[in-house]
Amino acid sequence: MAEVGHFLANGAWQEWPAEQAAAVGEFLRAWWTWTLTQPDPPEPAHEIFALCTEASGTPEPWLGIGERLAGPVPDRHLALAVTEWEYELLGDTSPWTEREEDERKRKKLSAWLVRHAPARLRAHGASEDLLHRVRILGLELHSRWDDPYWPGHRYA
């Protein structure tokens, strides 16, 4: 799904006439919001997040929507996303693409998770291991390896 978002971005939809660009933006916001409120959406929420982030070039609006939609269903999607992304994020790589411009997006996502995810993950009943992995995201890369809760990931 991230590739679909990348293709949308390559289409420069944000530079289209205002009405058309607004329609694409509204569609992305509606799809993301709808996905977060569905117990079993057709595509996982973390995939739709990647699509929207790639299409818009920034994670901020999608993180903001996710922040406002707290509750059992969005929190479950958050827990699944963190579980899906933690390996790459702990290795300071993007969880969905390998483009050079993704460093800023990855940092924004990691910082948001460190600030906002722990309380929601606890409320969802996430494991202590997952909570520690989010906490470790807030450490510098090499300091992570010395943390007693480092999950033992190895990176080539």
Side-chain angles (χ1 to χ4, degrees):
M1 293 304 273
E3 286 301 312
V4 173
H6 183 71
F7 293 135
L8 275 170
N10 281 346
W13 66 271
Q14 292 167 320
E15 297 172 17
W16 295 355
E19 188 174 307
Q20 294 170 345
V24 173
E26 185 56 35
F27 170 77
L28 292 173
R29 281 186 294 282
W31 192 8
W32 175 232
T33 301
W34 180 84
T35 297
L36 288 177
T37 61
Q38 299 305 302
D40 191 24
E43 294 294 331
H46 65 274
E47 293 283 343
I48 303 307
F49 176 83
L51 181 150
C52 292
T53 296
E54 288 300 304
S56 66
T58 182
E60 283 93 340
W62 321 112
L63 292 171
I65 291 169
E67 191 173 331
R68 290 188 297 277
L69 291 176
V73 172
D75 290 354
R76 184 172 64 79
H77 290 305
L78 176 61
L80 292 170
V82 171
T83 300
E84 182 71 26
W85 293 335
E86 61 91 11
Y87 176 85
E88 288 84 4
L89 290 175
L90 285 171
D92 276 354
T93 60
S94 169
W96 57 82
T97 63
E98 295 297 326
R99 297 184 202 347
E100 286 183 30
E101 67 270 13
D102 287 338
E103 179 72 6
R104 184 189 58 78
K105 295 177 214 171
R106 182 201 51 80
K107 284 181 178 180
K108 292 278 186 183
L109 174 59
S110 291
W112 188 91
L113 289 172
V114 168
R115 276 193 319 273
H116 299 284
R120 291 177 62 181
L121 292 173
R122 269 189 213 88
H124 177 69
S127 71
E128 285 299 312
D129 284 342
L130 190 61
L131 291 165
H132 281 299
R133 290 173 189 193
V134 170
R135 178 189 55 78
I136 292 168
L137 279 175
L139 303 176
E140 292 297 321
L141 181 61
H142 295 291
S143 299
R144 294 175 190 169
W145 301 337
D146 296 329
D147 191 277
Y149 293 98
W150 174 253
H153 296 327
R154 298 191 186 278
Y155 300 92

